[in-house]
């Protein structure tokens, strides 16, 4: 049996990228102490939404990402965290940076959150290519927040060999939004018959922090979902850390029993 131990760090990012990196270091140390091979942080770990992004954006090999790599290598695990990188057109890329022993990759968010009265595309340029990496023998697909509403990306990642798909999010609050998030992460696991590791920003309101504006600053409810759509582990609205052991053999067993990828006609 091949197993991947993953940790999900549900945090509250603030304005200061360096302070947010210190939070990453603390949570990574705790994840490492519990034997995690991969720790997944939310979208916008570098700086929360609702604040200027261009002034803190850095290249994927810049100082912030180098410190992220140092944290990962010190604890001998792979760290996945949301940052912002220059796009070249005055906007930024909403980037998922993944670093650690044997891993150096990034994914730029393809589907931008132009919905519910918010226009991410005003300040963020879209990515174009799906990305799959290898961690501890598992093939891991990378996605960000609004991507979760587009099943085609998840089936494409499965076609590219993903056993596990991570979604790092800073989900927007509002009526029914938690229920939509919970439904979507389970649905995408079923669409792709993959493990779905969902790392969300915690809910500022649940932590007693009042933030103004429409920016998606998080609702919490991070979770790990099985390829059959079962909730294996989950958190509530407040900051927390969860761990889960993913039996990779289950992916093949599920795809044999429920061959939705093989049976597609469109």
């Amino acid at each position: 049996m091949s197993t991947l131990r993953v940790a999900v760090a549900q945090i509250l990012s603030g304005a200061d990228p360096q302070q947010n990196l210190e939070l990453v270091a603390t949570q990574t140390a705790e994840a490492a102490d519990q034997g995690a091979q991969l720790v997944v942080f939310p979208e916008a770990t570098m700086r929360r939404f609702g604040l200027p992004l261009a002034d803190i954006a850095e290249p994927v090999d810049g100082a912030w990402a180098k410190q992220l790599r140092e944290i990962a290598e010190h604890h001998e695990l792979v760290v996945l965290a949301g940052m912002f990188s220059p796009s070249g057109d005055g906007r930024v890329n909403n980037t998922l940076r993944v670093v650690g022993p044997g891993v150096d990759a990034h994914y730029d968010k393809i589907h931008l959150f132009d919905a519910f009265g918010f226009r991410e595309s005003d300040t963020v340029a879209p990515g174009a290519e799906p990305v799959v990496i290898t961690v501890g023998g598992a093939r891991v697909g990378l996605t960000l927040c609004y991507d979760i509403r587009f099943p085609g990306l998840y089936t494409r990642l499965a076609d590219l060999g993903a056993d596990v798909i991570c979604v790092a999010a800073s989900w927007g609050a509002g009526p029914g939004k938690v229920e939509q998030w919970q439904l979507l992460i389970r649905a995408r696991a079923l669409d792709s018959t993959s493990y779905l590791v969902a790392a969300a920003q915690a809910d500022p309101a649940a932590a007693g922090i009042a933030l103004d504006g429409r920016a998606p600053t998080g609702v919490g409810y991070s979770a790990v979902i099985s390829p059959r759509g079962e909730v294996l582990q989950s958190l509530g609205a407040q900051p927390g850390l969860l761990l889960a052991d993913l039996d990779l053999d289950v992916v093949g067993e599920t795809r044999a029993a429920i061959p939705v990828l093989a049976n597609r006609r469109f």
Side-chain angles (χ1 to χ4, degrees):
M1 180 178 70
S2 179
T3 302
L4 180 72
R5 175 165 284 193
V6 299
V8 176
Q10 182 168 288
I11 63 170
L12 273 172
S13 296
D16 187 337
Q18 198 61 37
Q19 289 183 2
N20 293 331
L21 204 56
E22 292 169 6
L23 184 56
V24 168
T26 300
Q27 294 291 294
T28 300
E30 185 175 343
D33 286 345
Q34 298 188 55
Q37 298 162 271
L38 169 68
V39 57
V40 184
F41 287 86
E43 179 184 34
T45 294
M46 188 183 203
R47 170 177 276 182
R48 71 168 176 84
F49 284 117
L51 297 169
L53 301 177
D55 63 334
I56 56 93
E58 295 183 7
V60 294
D61 60 353
W64 197 87
K66 287 179 179 177
Q67 292 178 78
L68 190 71
R69 170 174 285 285
E70 290 169 1
I71 292 168
E73 291 183 343
H74 176 74
H75 293 289
E76 299 182 333
L77 50 61
V78 175
V79 177
L80 182 159
M83 64 173 290
F84 301 100
S85 59
S87 68
D89 66 357
R91 296 180 291 177
V92 301
N93 298 308
N94 186 341
T95 300
L96 200 51
R97 192 70 170 97
V98 194
V99 289
V103 178
D104 185 349
H106 72 278
Y107 162 73
D108 293 331
K109 187 178 184 181
I110 293 173
H111 301 99
L112 300 183
F113 184 58
D114 288 358
F116 293 100
F118 187 80
R119 282 190 55 82
E120 187 176 14
S121 63
D122 287 346
T123 56
V124 177
E129 296 296 329
V131 176
V132 177
I133 62 171
T134 301
V135 181
R139 296 281 287 163
V140 180
L142 309 179
T143 68
L144 279 158
C145 204
Y146 193 51
D147 282 334
I148 200 72
R149 292 186 181 273
F150 300 89
L153 176 58
Y154 290 79
T155 54
R156 176 62 178 151
L157 289 167
D159 289 340
L160 292 172
D163 311 295
V164 179
I165 301 176
C166 296
V167 54
S170 185
W171 200 249
K177 291 298 295 297
V178 169
E179 291 80 4
Q180 291 174 31
W181 165 253
Q182 292 172 320
L183 174 63
L184 287 163
I185 59 177
R186 295 181 71 184
R188 296 299 83 84
L190 286 167
D191 290 337
S192 61
T193 45
S194 304
Y195 284 103
L196 206 297
V197 178
Q201 289 276 349
D203 186 346
I209 300 171
L211 297 176
D212 296 328
R214 292 182 176 180
T217 51
V219 297
Y221 294 90
S222 298
V224 175
I225 313 298
S226 82
R228 292 177 181 262
E230 305 151 314
V231 180
L232 301 179
Q233 298 282 350
S234 63
L235 295 171
Q238 296 188 357
L241 182 75
L242 68 77
L243 279 95
D245 290 320
L246 310 185
D247 179 352
L248 301 178
D249 293 339
V250 169
V251 177
E253 293 166 1
T254 302
R255 289 177 180 174
I258 316 170
V260 291
L261 295 171
N263 290 346
R264 283 175 296 170
R265 298 185 61 192
F266 300 101

